[in-house]
């Protein structure tokens, strides 16, 4: 192999190592670093370019922006009427707790924690309220559901910013 060919091969190899040694974290995201020998690291990477050890470290991006989720739940009121509630929940993960959240729940944490927190809030509040009250004062009931859901989600390092009842359907 000629000197030129060898030089080109070395330059290509160095370029590949440099490419695999960097990771760009998008704005509104943080990256949890999984080290193949040590496990999930306790620190997160903020937005921008970061150096990582190729083949040993794998950055896993997680969204820390405010997100929303629509949830439909059925429940029973204090006067034993079945209600279907269309709810909207706004939430975000706590940045400092992302490694813990990823380790305990996984990358799909929002699909597990948020519906469970809202369900907890609804099942705590709605059985104490009549169907008529839930229909006529959804803002008041929403605040109570929001408070109960927030307490539940805080144990999992997720902040519920608001829970709103969008629609109430009472079965006859």
């Amino acid at each position: 192999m000629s000197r030129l060919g060898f030089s080109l091969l070395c330059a290509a190899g160095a370029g590949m190592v440099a490419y695999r040694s960097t990771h760009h974290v998008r704005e509104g995201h943080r990256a949890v670093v999984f080290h193949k020998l040590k496990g999930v690291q306790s620190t997160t990477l903020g937005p921008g370019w970061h150096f990582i050890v190729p083949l040993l470290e794998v950055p896993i991006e997680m969204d820390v922006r405010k997100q929303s989720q629509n949830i439909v739940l059925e429940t029973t009121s204090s006067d034993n009427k079945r209600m279907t509630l269309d709810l909207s929940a706004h939430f975000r993960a706590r940045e400092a707790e992302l490694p813990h959240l990823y380790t305990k729940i996984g990358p799909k944490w929002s699909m597990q924690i948020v519906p469970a927190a809202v369900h907890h809030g609804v099942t705590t509040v709605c059985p104490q309220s009549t169907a008529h009250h839930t229909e006529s004062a959804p803002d008041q009931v929403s605040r109570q559901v929001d408070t109960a859901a927030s307490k539940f989600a805080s144990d999992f390092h997720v902040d519920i910013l608001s829970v709103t009842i969008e629609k109430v359907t009472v079965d006859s």
Side-chain angles (χ1 to χ4, degrees), residues 25-59:
V25 178
R26 296 173 291 166
E27 195 66 38
H29 291 75
R30 300 296 179 268
V32 174
V33 179
F34 177 74
H35 192 283
K36 292 184 179 177
L37 300 177
K38 299 177 185 175
V40 175
Q41 302 301 296
S42 61
T43 59
T44 58
L45 305 177
W49 288 97
H50 300 277
F51 289 103
I52 59 169
V53 180
L55 304 175
L56 279 182
E57 294 180 337
V58 178

Side-chain angles (χ1 to χ4, degrees), residues 15-140:
M16 184 60 108
V17 168
Y19 174 74
R20 293 202 174 259
S21 297
T22 59
H23 179 75
H24 182 262
V25 178
R26 296 173 291 166
E27 195 66 38
H29 291 75
R30 300 296 179 268
V32 174
V33 179
F34 177 74
H35 192 283
K36 292 184 179 177
L37 300 177
K38 299 177 185 175
V40 175
Q41 302 301 296
S42 61
T43 59
T44 58
L45 305 177
W49 288 97
H50 300 277
F51 289 103
I52 59 169
V53 180
L55 304 175
L56 279 182
E57 294 180 337
V58 178
I60 301 146
E61 285 196 31
M62 297 177 76
D63 196 343
V64 293
R65 297 174 293 185
K66 177 180 162 182
Q67 300 176 57
S68 65
Q69 199 174 88
N70 293 323
I71 301 165
V72 178
L73 292 173
E74 290 186 3
T75 188
T76 305
S77 64
S78 64
D79 52 356
N80 288 326
K81 292 190 179 177
R82 303 252 333 137
M83 298 184 297
T84 302
L85 304 177
D86 292 354
L87 302 114
S88 176
H90 298 277
F91 59 94
R92 73 166 48 112
R94 294 182 191 151
E95 291 181 34
E97 302 295 336
L98 286 177
H100 182 264
L101 187 61
Y102 179 79
T103 302
K104 299 295 180 193
I105 309 295
K108 304 282 187 192
W109 59 269
S110 66
M111 301 306 284
Q112 295 175 333
I113 295 172
V114 176
V118 172
H119 182 267
H120 173 76
V122 167
T123 56
T124 301
V125 172
C126 287
Q128 300 171 8
S129 175
T130 64
H132 176 72
H133 177 68
T134 304
E135 270 186 311
S136 61
D139 293 339
Q140 182 182 8

Side-chain angles (χ1 to χ4, degrees), residues 113-168:
I113 295 172
V114 176
V118 172
H119 182 267
H120 173 76
V122 167
T123 56
T124 301
V125 172
C126 287
Q128 300 171 8
S129 175
T130 64
H132 176 72
H133 177 68
T134 304
E135 270 186 311
S136 61
D139 293 339
Q140 182 182 8
V141 177
S142 291
R143 282 192 296 278
Q144 293 172 338
V145 170
D146 179 39
T147 302
S150 295
K151 287 179 185 174
F152 181 91
S154 68
D155 292 340
F156 297 98
H157 312 293
V158 174
D159 292 327
I160 300 286
L161 306 173
S162 69
V163 176
T164 307
I165 297 175
E166 302 289 336
K167 182 181 172 189
V168 179

